[in-house]
Amino acid sequence: MASLFKEQAKLSAYRDRRFSGTQEEFDEALRTSSTVYIGNVSFYTTEEQIYELFSRAGEIKKIIMGLDKNTKTPCGFCFVLFYSREDTEDAVKYISGTILDDRPIRVDFDWGFQEGRQWGRGRSGGQVRDEYRTDYDPDILSVATLCGYGKLVQKE
Ligand code: GTA
């Protein structure tokens, strides 16, 4: 299975702007690392749920929950570190798109976890993409518009 993925030029549409190396080094890291990024995770999904789902792909070394840098609470993403590259590829291939806590999660190859990457990089503390959300969510109240668009205050 590893050779199948090697044939593909681009393993991820995402490019981490904080990766300090060249594009070639980034691509090589994506091809060889045993880390996946999980996006679109519910804020209520626990590490135990992530463990249960992803251990179907293989033995897990570590899970790092993505946290809002201000509140230190889960903010919709995590990293799963596997022992084997083959299990990493299986996670992307078979688990991406799975519904977890009513949300289709996205499993992406990742260049490797480093301290600091667990924090949301958005100005509000959460993920950057949440700040560009335009869809209406009745459970979310925006301070700026007071009409439910965006994510500045979440009613819980
Ligand atoms: N492997 O897809 C990913 C991924 N994402 C989205 C985040 N991380 C990812 N890793 C992999 N694949 O460690 C990692 C980051 C970091 C942690 C938190 O998760 O490497 P973040 O989501 O808070 O911030 O990261 P990040 O990734 O630096 O944000 P970025 O790249 O600016 O934008 C994320 C998304 O927001 C974009 O893909 C886009 O959908 C949206 N976005 C950004 N800017 C705009 C804009 N101006 N207009 C509209 N949409 C925008």
Side-chain angles (χ1 to χ4, degrees):
M1 188 175 301
S3 60
L4 176 77
F5 280 86
K6 269 188 192 141
E7 302 299 321
Q8 296 177 4
K10 213 165 164 53
L11 287 181
S12 170
Y14 176 79
R15 171 73 159 96
D16 187 358
R17 290 169 299 167
R18 298 199 189 176
F19 180 80
S20 58
T22 63
Q23 183 65 51
E24 288 69 32
E25 288 166 338
F26 185 75
D27 292 341
E28 177 63 11
L30 287 187
R31 271 195 297 275
T32 55
S33 108
S34 299
T35 300
V36 288
Y37 160 92
I38 325 298
N40 203 30
V41 177
S42 162
F43 293 178
Y44 303 103
T45 297
T46 62
E47 188 172 328
E48 289 69 31
Q49 286 173 279
I50 299 285
Y51 187 89
E52 193 188 328
L53 178 60
F54 281 86
S55 51
R56 294 181 199 174
E59 197 181 346
I60 293 171
K61 194 189 227 172
K62 196 170 181 184
I63 294 173
I64 295 130
M65 299 300 284
L67 301 175
D68 182 301
K69 64 173 177 277
N70 297 327
T71 62
K72 312 288 187 277
T73 55
C75 70
F77 71 99
C78 69
F79 296 97
V80 176
L81 282 58
F82 287 99
Y83 283 100
S84 109
R85 174 66 189 182
E86 194 173 357
D87 296 343
T88 309
E89 293 178 359
D90 283 349
V92 173
K93 190 170 181 189
Y94 300 116
I95 302 182
S96 196
T98 298
I99 308 292
L100 181 61
D101 277 337
D102 297 329
R103 301 174 73 86
I105 56 169
R106 184 169 66 87
V107 184
D108 192 27
F109 286 108
D110 188 74
W111 62 273
F113 178 76
Q114 289 193 343
E115 179 54 34
R117 293 196 65 206
Q118 71 271 37
W119 305 115
R121 296 173 178 173
R123 278 167 300 160
S124 65
Q127 280 205 276
V128 172
R129 62 183 48 226
D130 285 344
E131 296 179 340
Y132 296 97
R133 180 158 55 189
T134 54
D135 55 314
Y136 180 80
D137 184 338
D139 290 333
I140 293 173
L141 177 66
S142 160
V143 165
T145 62
L146 291 176
C147 66
Y149 290 90
K151 175 202 174 265
L152 290 178
V153 173
Q154 183 164 7
K155 288 191 293 182
E156 284 172 9

